[in-house]
Amino acid sequence: MDLSMKWLSDYVDIGDMTIKDYCSGLTLSGSKVERYDTEGSEISKVVVGKLLSVVPHENSDHLVICSVDVGAEAPIQIVTGAKNVKAGDIVPVALDGSTLPNGVKIKKGKLRGVESNGMLCSLGELGLTTHDFPYAIADGIFLIEQEEGCPELKLGMDIREAIGLNDTTVEFEITSNRPDCMSVLGLAKETAATFDLPMNYKKPVFKGVDGDIGSMLSVKISNTELCSRYCAGVVRNVKIGPSPRWMRERLRASGVRPINNFVDITNYVMLEYGHPMHAFDIRFIEGNSIDIRSAKNGEKITTLDGVERTLTDNMLVIADSRKPVAVAGVMGGEYSGIMDDTVDVVFEAACFDGASVRTTAKALGMRTDASSRFEKGLDPRMCEPALNRAFELVELLGCGEVVRTTIDVSNGADTQRSAPFDPVWINNFLGTDLYEEEMIKYLNKLDFTVKDGRAYAPAYRIDIECKADIAEEIARLYGYNNIEKTVIRGVAQASVAPEQKFRTKLLNASASLGFDEIVTYSFISPKNFDKIRLPESSPLRNTVTITNPLGEDTSVMRTTLLPSMLQVLSTNYNNRNESAKLFEAAREYLPCGRELPEEPERIVFGCYGADYDFYALKGAVEELFEVLGIEDVDYEPCTDDSIFGEFHAFHPGRCAIVTKDGKPLGIFGELHPKTAENYGINAKVYAAKLNVPEMMSEAISFKTYKPLPKFPAATRDLAVVVDDTVPAAHIEKAIKSAVGNILESVKLFDVYKGKQIAEGKKSVAYSIVMRSHDGTLTDEQADNAMKKVLKKLSELGAEIRS
């Protein structure tokens, strides 16, 4: 539903409230806003101008030179090829630097040697059509006329204000249980209730002329199950013509194309009251009788869109004495519309069964604005006000004589929906502490009445069924944000602990790296310690022994996760899986001299296959630390089991430990060939074990925003020769320390050992990117930073490669 804010102002004055506040308030009170748009927002620097003179162009037989008064100190000159302009015309003028719809920009220039300081605009160039301004032409300049009831045209006036192209439209998502909000009136009532504003609504009245409608038309409802009410009236001596601009503006803002005054009136009432209407040319109603009946199988009708449709007996039609003239609630017939020579018109406002309208529209493949409203279920009591509003508009526009008498055939029960009103229950249900008087005040704003312990809904509210519905009405006006948080009764208060959050993040990150999670038993065989090559004196052989084990294979609690991981890798390898990439987060059980052991949590990774090597595993560890927020870690070669007892399971020289400020976080690398052989794996196996509590203590749980750089970076490449035993990480750490806070990144891009490099040496090359947040780095600053780098690297025995 598109709501014109100008139209809304007829009923509710929202004052200086911003459109954002309006949309936010309506959304919070239950009328969800999808978006809002302002007409003409793409148009700028287009004004009203007057042509002072129009003379031929000396160098062209199809161009003219116009002198245009745009309300400035002096007229401006514009060259145009339009044929419909003359001196004295009022036109829209796009000035130099103006913008038009679809991103079109206008700049001054020369046409055939003559300067042109703008452009005269057509309707199309303003995003309009002749439906919006019927007096204009489509293929020429838009010649603006002063229309009755519109602001006075002034030279230099913004064109959007001058032609009414400045309405704001709010698009609502209306749920199926609120058909009353598919109307301007419905949304106006919601606006008044939400913001506690007065509603300016007057019951529609018309004077009419004498006449007996019974001698002109008869109405019968044959299918009373599918039609609960049918109201009709007649307008004689109609005058077909364009609607006034205020009506055309509101229809355009609501997404409806203006046609002529009578068609526009039916659309206007449908949008305003939410009740579809139709107007018939009485000449084409044979027998001057209308029968609302079921269609006959195979019966045909050509609808207003020119398509012949075959009907079935479960469809409802509006018929004359011989044929169907409309598909009830969906679309009129070909000859039921208003034509230029129409003299007498029948207006109808009816109420049809929503389910029937929906199935008919779906079967015929022609869902319309009318059917979308009827299928939600409308209130029969709105038929008469809608018909009266149409007659009021006919008299207001002076386009016909309304016959004072009308036809009203009704067979529906006049019932009012209600539900129990129990303030105590409502407070308990909502978690509020409202007085009964407050609740009644909120309900009265929504046109509910409360008496004898029941709340009675207005006729147009077809969604009220139980006391929970009454509670909802109170809650949405009281404000959901004003309802205090309460603990759900019978449910313990709980929250996710930091350890749980970290563990979840750890597991998700591990899975995102391509590892599959496994779960193994906490008890293992003591023989596994021999398989991973633990020395007899290793503290990891000190275990908690199970008193009554199922067998020797499950007789001790594990002190390391590595054997469990290798057992699963072995199973995969022996089942001819070409590769495997697994992880497990579990506890180790370390005796500590007390009755119960310590149970630190660890995470272990294991993999084998052609795609995996030491550096792939190291990259996975680095990525994991980055996701967890663990920064500035150090990687050192692992040379003994003083830190991690599992050292003996790894290949010497291909194993590393990772630390943070000296605190051990884990060990990783390639397993010793004998370890892999002990588990029956004839391939290179890589594993990592990380300490979860230590990682959590070093993790940064929040991200710090870093603004985009404002100044350019300075890049330097550096190649040095160092001893082959010096780790690249030490070199990188030295570079970071030397450059300081202007360092943006340092990247190793080359390692070389060969003829030009001495034995026992290697050449490493780094790309160093520096950037200052205070200004552009000078060459001198960058060179000074590089001198510090060379000095720092000399401490590692590094020399510049010549």
Side-chain angles (χ1 to χ4, degrees), residues 27-31 175 177-178 190 419-421 425-427 429-430 432 434 439 442-443 446 448 461 463-480 483:
T27 297
L28 290 175
S29 70
S31 302
T175 53
N177 66 324
R178 291 299 305 274
E190 288 293 309
F421 176 68
W425 183 90
I426 291 172
N427 275 326
F429 181 67
L430 297 177
T432 55
L434 297 172
M439 296 183 184
Y442 291 131
L443 291 174
L446 296 168
F448 283 69
R461 290 297 300 273
D463 59 314
I464 303 301
E465 296 180 351
C466 60
K467 56 185 178 182
D469 293 329
I470 303 300
E472 180 186 3
E473 298 301 304
I474 294 170
R476 67 190 187 90
L477 286 195
Y478 175 65
Y480 293 115
I483 299 177

Side-chain angles (χ1 to χ4, degrees), residues 179 265 300 337 368 372 407 445 559 600 605 618 668:
I265 285 173
K300 297 182 183 297
T368 61
S372 67
I407 295 174
K445 288 182 181 181
T559 55
F605 296 85
K618 181 174 182 285
F668 66 92

